Amino acid sequence: MTRRIRIGIDTGGTFTDVVALDEDSGELVTTKTPSTPTNPADGFLTGVSKVLDLMDATGDDITSVSHGTTVATNKLLEGKVEALGFITTEGYEFILEIARQAVPDGYGNSYFWVKPPRIVPADYVKTVGGRIDFEGKQIRPFDEERAVAVARWFKDRGITTIGVCFLHSYADDSHELAMRDVLRREHPDAVVSISSEVLREYREYERSMTTLVDAAVKPNVSRYVANIRARLDDFLAPPVDVSPRAMALADTSTRLPFWVMKSNGGVLSADEVVNQPITTVLSGPAAGALGAGLIASRAGFDKVLTCDGGGTSTDVSVVLSGEPTLTTEGSVGAYPSKIPMIDVVTVGAGGGSIAWISPEGSLKVGPQSAGADPGPLCYAKGGTSPTITDAHVMLGRIPPHLLGGEIPLDVEAARAGITGLAGRLDLDVEHCATGILEISAWNQANALRQVSVKRGLDVRDFMLTTFGGSGSLLACRLVDILGLAGVVVPQNPGNVSAFGLLTVDVKNDYVQTAVARHESLDHAAVQSTFDELTTKAANALDAQGFSRGDHRYTRTVDLRYFGQAYEVRVPAPDGAFDEAYAADLASRFHDEHRALYGYDFRDEPRQQVEWVNLRVTGIGPITRPVLRELEPAAASPSTMEQRAHRGTRPVCFDPDGGHVDTDLWWRPDLLAGDVIEGPAIIEEFGSTVPLHPGFGLRVDALGNLVITKTAHATEA
């Protein structure tokens, strides 16, 4: 009989992680395979084949595939953005230069800070006449003659990726639509993003940047998803009848559901990704945060920081009561993106991040990565620069092989590379390697501070959930640096992002700016806007195969005090929008404002509340996997040492002390209730956990490793 298997696949810079769920039995199967950067579809399909073989299943048993990708993330994080064109309203050509005048922390005085290059150089910014006001009224007509000249200018110079953002197009997008028509006619090869379809929200700089980021990633994401979609179709159901009619039917009604993870914690049909590529800029990180949040919540931890370490980057976020926090003020690398996304901070500190020496002679780590090809020196695939992984393997903190022996590592190549770097820094090799890891740990710690301390959260109350192939390698050091309560390492941590893909609903976000003061609010107009946004969400869910009875909708509003620059997001429950409803939301806003900032103007009638944005999210729910409990150690006839001890290996935790023989433990053989004292190395198929001296761990009922400082270490 045909089984019902859902598959989650997370493609990272180094490895492709796969988790499959048998919906009938609840069985979860995980595996990993090397990523294939030259053609990611190869690694993707290898992962599908591998997990099906492990489950003794076939392609006919698959009911859906969900995918998380770092294609857009890595492109932006590494700053590899090709030439972009930008078309905006006449007189606003320097909007990207003016930006928000924000000076990054650490500079203190703006005199010492040099603005980074804009995403579009001034030479590639063109303006077109015409003007819409904030109410959507036309002040000056669209200048089509100038629009044609601009389109031809970009065509003549081979600029094929273009973003369009006209003033106040969130209120009326007719000028943007006219500009897109001109580009289609005069420059048909151009890939175009218009702001009214990317972000129908005010604030011109943020809307311009979000539109340009959408345009920047659109070619790569579209090609990537189309390639995966085509290869997946061929792999699962090779057509026998290749007539046009048969192929057309195969492309529509019989296609396997293929979802792509969005930054907001939902998934999107792969066929729609081409229209909303920016929604995937935190695709992989969002899945990891959701998976880790679910696991930590089931383990009894309500306050959690997540740390997802991959081959190219490390992603951190906050999870409260099992739900990752959301933001519309996020960014990836140097590029802000004002779309709803899980509040993830991404830094270029992954296992493949390259260690290098700056012109001033300082040791630096990242953001450039060796990725999977050629990879770190120890991969012996042509890598030329030492990486974080090379430092770990040279110090003995990871085994001389990965994936249970599938990928042997060249320890001597790693040592030789770090020795060369150490010579240039006048350091011995152990101090150089630990220095690389120390810089990486502080990079991760600073990212964790951005999502916690800077949000007013006390990190001492939080557990750190580490996952990803390299996420747990510096866990103990992060506890020391930040003073965290401890660490939770889930089972199969290298596959938590892929697991998260099986826990997410389909989500579609819609927003409309509608600025109005509370006292003069048009309740009928607000209700009408909510209805329009809900209809858009419902139509999208219909198209994605969800019956109306299964639809769920959440509403939120962005409010502020008149004169403030930024808003506070307030949940808006179901109900007719009338005067009493509006008053209740205003009261909730006062409460949220006091919780965030310590004060409110509830009793000050001269300080009016202003309504800014109305938002609706349409949700198509799915069934989440059930986490199974591990067998208790007390029920096992053998001792922990008999079951799980795998010998010793020289490991360096302290460069002054050198390498010391350290116990090795095989995690799949550990049972609930087992306790290990550091120093120790806990290994499994997809990841490794170095347990430093002064730390201990216990295995909880769900198989998580719960790491805390030992009593004597805390007292010291």
Side-chain angles (χ1 to χ4, degrees):
M1 293 179 61
T2 301
R3 299 160 68 183
R4 297 190 305 143
I5 295 174
R6 283 197 288 129
I7 297 179
I9 302 180
D10 179 59
T11 299
T14 306
F15 290 106
T16 294
D17 307 325
V18 188
V19 175
L21 169 69
D22 188 317
E23 296 184 272
D24 297 315
S25 69
E27 177 190 14
L28 274 173
V29 176
T30 66
T31 189
K32 297 170 78 77
T33 188
S35 294
T36 51
T38 54
N39 188 352
D42 292 339
F44 182 99
L45 293 174
T46 298
V48 172
S49 298
K50 195 171 180 181
V51 80
L52 289 176
D53 289 343
L54 290 172
M55 300 182 78
D56 194 22
T58 69
D60 292 335
D61 298 318
I62 302 175
T63 56
S64 70
V65 177
S66 298
H67 183 38
T69 172
T70 56
V71 168
T73 313
N74 293 343
K75 183 180 181 69
L76 298 174
L77 191 65
E78 297 183 19
K80 295 178 178 178
V81 175
E82 289 83 8
L84 284 173
F86 180 43
I87 303 173
T88 190
T89 302
E90 187 176 43
Y92 287 81
E93 59 266 35
F94 295 112
I95 191 169
L96 301 180
E97 296 295 328
I98 296 170
R100 288 296 172 196
Q101 297 294 307
V103 178
D105 289 346
Y107 286 89
N109 189 327
S110 60
Y111 178 81
F112 298 101
W113 178 60
V114 178
K115 272 189 178 182
R118 302 297 96 180
I119 190 171
V120 179
D123 292 347
Y124 288 172
V125 177
K126 295 298 174 183
T127 62
V128 173
R131 184 70 178 271
I132 301 289
D133 72 8
F134 73 98
E135 293 180 326
K137 298 173 183 175
Q138 180 172 281
I139 297 174
R140 289 194 299 274
F142 178 69
D143 187 347
E144 183 157 350
E145 183 179 347
R146 171 63 178 167
V148 169
V150 166
R152 291 174 179 173
W153 188 91
F154 283 119
K155 181 180 180 180
D156 292 343
R157 284 155 183 80
I159 307 300
T160 58
T161 307
I162 300 170
V164 180
C165 181
F166 289 148
L167 203 63
H168 302 306
S169 56
Y170 59 85
D172 183 331
D173 61 354
S174 58
H175 287 190
E176 285 192 352
L177 294 173
M179 186 70 239
R180 183 169 64 182
D181 288 342
V182 170
L183 286 166
R184 285 174 173 171
R185 185 175 69 246
E186 301 292 336
H187 191 4
D189 294 333
V191 174
V192 180
S193 292
I194 62 174
S195 73
S196 54
E197 292 187 351
V198 174
L199 182 69
R200 207 174 181 98
E201 186 176 335
Y202 86 142
R203 289 202 173 97
E204 306 310 317
Y205 169 67
E206 286 81 1
R207 190 154 52 88
S208 298
M209 281 297 301
T210 305
T211 303
L212 288 166
V213 170
D214 183 78
V217 302
K218 185 174 285 186
N220 297 71
V221 171
S222 299
R223 285 194 300 268
Y224 174 82
V225 173
N227 184 30
I228 295 283
R229 169 88 264 185
R231 292 282 299 277
L232 184 63
D233 288 345
D234 290 343
F235 173 80
L236 295 175
V240 177
D241 182 355
V242 294
S243 66
R245 183 176 184 278
M247 292 296 289
L249 290 173
D251 286 343
T252 55
S253 59
T254 62
R255 289 181 115 181
L256 180 79
F258 178 35
W259 308 101
V260 177
M261 185 73 198
K262 297 172 66 177
S263 306
N264 68 350
V267 289
L268 174 73
S269 165
D271 298 326
E272 286 296 316
V273 168
V274 65
N275 300 319
Q276 305 177 45
I278 194 173
T279 62
T280 70
V281 293
L282 289 178
S283 175
L290 284 162
L294 175 64
I295 293 168
S297 177
R298 299 275 174 85
F301 300 106
D302 291 332
K303 294 183 176 181
V304 174
L305 299 176
T306 72
C307 181
D308 178 5
T312 303
S313 61
T314 295
D315 312 303
V316 303
S317 65
V318 176
V319 177
L320 300 174
S321 300
E323 293 294 331
T325 55
L326 292 172
T327 182
T328 55
E329 306 293 336
S331 63
V332 180
Y335 307 112
S337 298
K338 196 173 169 58
I339 59 169
M341 61 176 67
I342 289 176
D343 194 359
V344 173
V345 172
T346 301
V347 293
S353 294
I354 293 171
W356 53 285
I357 299 175
S358 72
E360 297 79 23
S362 300
L363 178 62
K364 304 284 187 180
V365 180
Q368 296 300 319
S369 173
D373 188 9
L377 293 171
C378 59
Y379 281 21
K381 293 170 60 178
T384 58
S385 302
T387 67
I388 291 173
T389 296
D390 293 312
H392 279 297
V393 73
M394 197 221 80
L395 294 172
R397 299 189 190 183
I398 60 176
H401 54 76
L402 299 177
L403 303 190
E406 288 185 25
I407 301 178
L409 300 180
D410 189 339
V411 180
E412 291 308 312
R415 176 178 290 275
I418 294 177
T419 300
L421 189 68
R424 295 166 60 194
L425 293 166
D426 196 24
L427 293 172
D428 65 67
V429 68
E430 281 81 12
H431 278 86
C432 181
T434 53
I436 292 171
L437 301 186
E438 187 73 358
I439 291 171
S440 178
W442 278 91
N443 286 340
Q444 293 180 12
N446 288 333
L448 287 163
R449 285 194 177 104
Q450 288 185 51
V451 297
S452 57
V453 177
K454 288 189 175 182
R455 308 287 197 272
L457 302 174
D458 189 341
V459 293
R460 294 172 297 183
D461 297 333
F462 282 75
M463 296 292 285
L464 178 68
T465 300
T466 59
F467 55 98
S470 65
S472 304
L473 292 172
L474 296 171
C476 293
R477 187 68 189 112
L478 290 172
V479 171
D480 282 331
I481 293 172
L482 295 170
L484 297 161
V487 179
V488 179
V489 185
Q491 289 196 70
N492 300 303
N495 295 72
V496 167
S497 291
F499 169 79
L501 290 163
L502 301 179
T503 72
V504 299
D505 301 318
V506 174
K507 287 186 179 180
N508 298 287
D509 298 307
Y510 299 90
V511 59
Q512 178 65 60
T513 293
V515 180
R517 297 197 197 184
H518 181 75
E519 297 302 323
S520 57
L521 200 62
D522 185 336
H523 303 112
V526 173
Q527 182 65 60
S528 177
T529 300
F530 270 136
D531 290 343
E532 289 174 7
L533 297 176
T534 302
T535 298
K536 289 181 180 180
N539 291 339
L541 291 174
D542 289 342
Q544 290 161 338
F546 291 92
S547 63
R548 283 291 171 107
D550 293 332
H551 292 191
R552 298 206 317 265
Y553 307 100
T554 60
R555 305 190 302 191
T556 57
V557 294
D558 296 345
L559 306 180
R560 66 186 179 191
Y561 291 118
F562 179 73
Q564 284 184 328
Y566 293 96
E567 301 80 44
V568 173
R569 183 78 42 83
V570 178
D574 292 338
F577 197 95
D578 53 21
E579 186 174 353
Y581 185 98
D584 179 62
L585 287 188
S587 178
R588 293 174 185 235
F589 162 69
H590 294 306
D591 295 338
E592 289 288 336
H593 197 281
R594 174 167 288 278
L596 284 170
Y597 303 115
Y599 71 95
D600 65 70
F601 293 116
R602 183 190 302 272
D603 300 319
E604 178 53 72
R606 294 176 298 177
Q607 190 67 56
Q608 293 192 43
V609 173
E610 189 170 44
W611 294 63
V612 180
N613 297 313
L614 309 176
R615 301 177 186 273
V616 171
T617 298
I619 301 170
I622 56 90
T623 303
R624 288 170 171 76
V626 176
L627 298 176
R628 295 178 174 179
E629 293 193 354
L630 207 62
E631 179 186 347
S636 174
S638 58
T639 65
M640 182 178 73
E641 185 145 353
Q642 290 174 322
R643 281 186 278 107
H645 192 257
R646 292 295 183 271
T648 62
R649 181 172 67 239
V651 180
C652 178
F653 292 101
D654 178 358
D656 293 326
H659 286 69
V660 296
D661 285 342
T662 303
D663 288 320
L664 308 177
W665 300 90
W666 184 241
R667 184 174 181 180
D669 292 334
L670 294 175
L671 300 178
D674 282 339
V675 176
I676 298 174
E677 296 290 328
I681 301 292
I682 295 85
E683 298 178 353
E684 58 183 299
F685 176 77
S687 68
T688 302
V689 181
L691 189 66
H692 288 226
F695 287 82
L697 70 79
R698 63 176 176 83
V699 183
D700 73 3
L702 294 175
N704 301 305
L705 305 182
V706 181
I707 301 172
T708 54
K709 277 195 166 185
T710 54
H712 59 82
T714 304
E715 293 166 2

